[in-house]
Structures are given as C-alpha cells and as structure tokens.
Amino acid sequence: QVRLVESGGGLVQPGGSLRLSCAASGSIFSINYMGWYRRTPGNGREWVATIREGGSTNYADSVKGRFAISRDNPKNTVYLQMNSLKPDDTAVYYCYVTDRITRNDYWGQGTQVTVSS
C-alpha cells in the first residue's frame, strides 16, 4: 500500500506565497513522475505541474513563472512553491506519483489553498 501525505495549504492574501509538500511512503519501488493537480468547483480538475525523476519540469500556462516544482528523491517527496498567488489559484491541490515499475498512479488526500484578502 502506498500513502501520500500532503501539507502546507492554508489561507494567504493575494500576492503571497505558500509551499506545499507531499511525501510518499509504503510499497512503492521507484517513482518516475511526481506532480500536482488542483480542483475548483467551477473549473473541475486542472493539471498544475510535473517533475520527472531526472528533474525536468512542465507547468500549466496559468502558473508558469509563479510556481516552482521540485523533488527530493531519497525522501520520495515533491514540493510546490507558489508565489504571487491570485484568487484564481484557490483550489484543493492534490499531489500524485507514478511508480516506474507498476506504472500505477497514487494520489494524496488534497490540501486546501485559499487566496483571499
């Protein structure tokens, strides 16, 4: 069984910053992709960012230049540094990892990010 535990969400004012963390544990052999999605009531699920095992990254246009994804491979942890936050970034953020061997995806429980003055 694989478990992903997220942390770092909360309430922040527009223009502020937050850092999300997601640690994977359990029966996962080797992680290839790690990343983040978010879900809002109006827009549904939106992909945010992905980082590969070698460190290459991709971002949604809506967050490019403001968010930065990184990972700590020995700790099986992925991070999302969010800067210059906007009200439109308000969402529940979910992390995911992809097992290199089984190709299964695993998801975190979600963490709420609210950007409001």
Side-chain angles (χ1 to χ4, degrees):
Q1 185 174 357
V2 177
R3 184 183 182 203
L4 273 64
V5 178
E6 302 176 14
S7 61
L11 173 64
V12 64
Q13 292 186 344
S17 298
L18 283 175
R19 188 190 194 211
L20 306 182
S21 301
C22 173
S25 61
S27 301
I28 188 162
F29 300 99
S30 177
I31 298 175
N32 188 355
Y33 299 101
M34 306 182 83
W36 297 87
Y37 277 79
R38 63 188 181 186
R39 183 180 293 276
T40 63
N43 297 328
R45 191 177 78 165
E46 177 188 19
W47 168 73
V48 176
T50 297
I51 183 166
R52 295 167 183 76
E53 188 172 11
S56 60
T57 59
N58 290 94
Y59 297 93
D61 288 343
S62 58
V63 306
K64 201 172 295 183
R66 300 187 297 119
F67 290 11
I69 189 171
S70 60
R71 62 191 283 172
D72 185 330
N73 289 331
K75 294 182 178 180
N76 285 341
T77 299
V78 61
Y79 305 96
L80 186 68
Q81 177 67 43
M82 304 184 294
N83 300 323
S84 302
L85 283 161
K86 306 174 182 179
D88 284 350
D89 296 317
T90 297
V92 179
Y93 284 72
Y94 298 88
C95 66
Y96 75 92
V97 302
T98 302
D99 188 307
R100 170 185 293 280
I101 304 301
T102 65
R103 299 188 181 183
N104 290 334
D105 292 330
Y106 301 96
W107 293 86
Q109 79 283 2
T111 185
Q112 177 71 47
V113 171
T114 302
V115 184
S116 175
S117 55

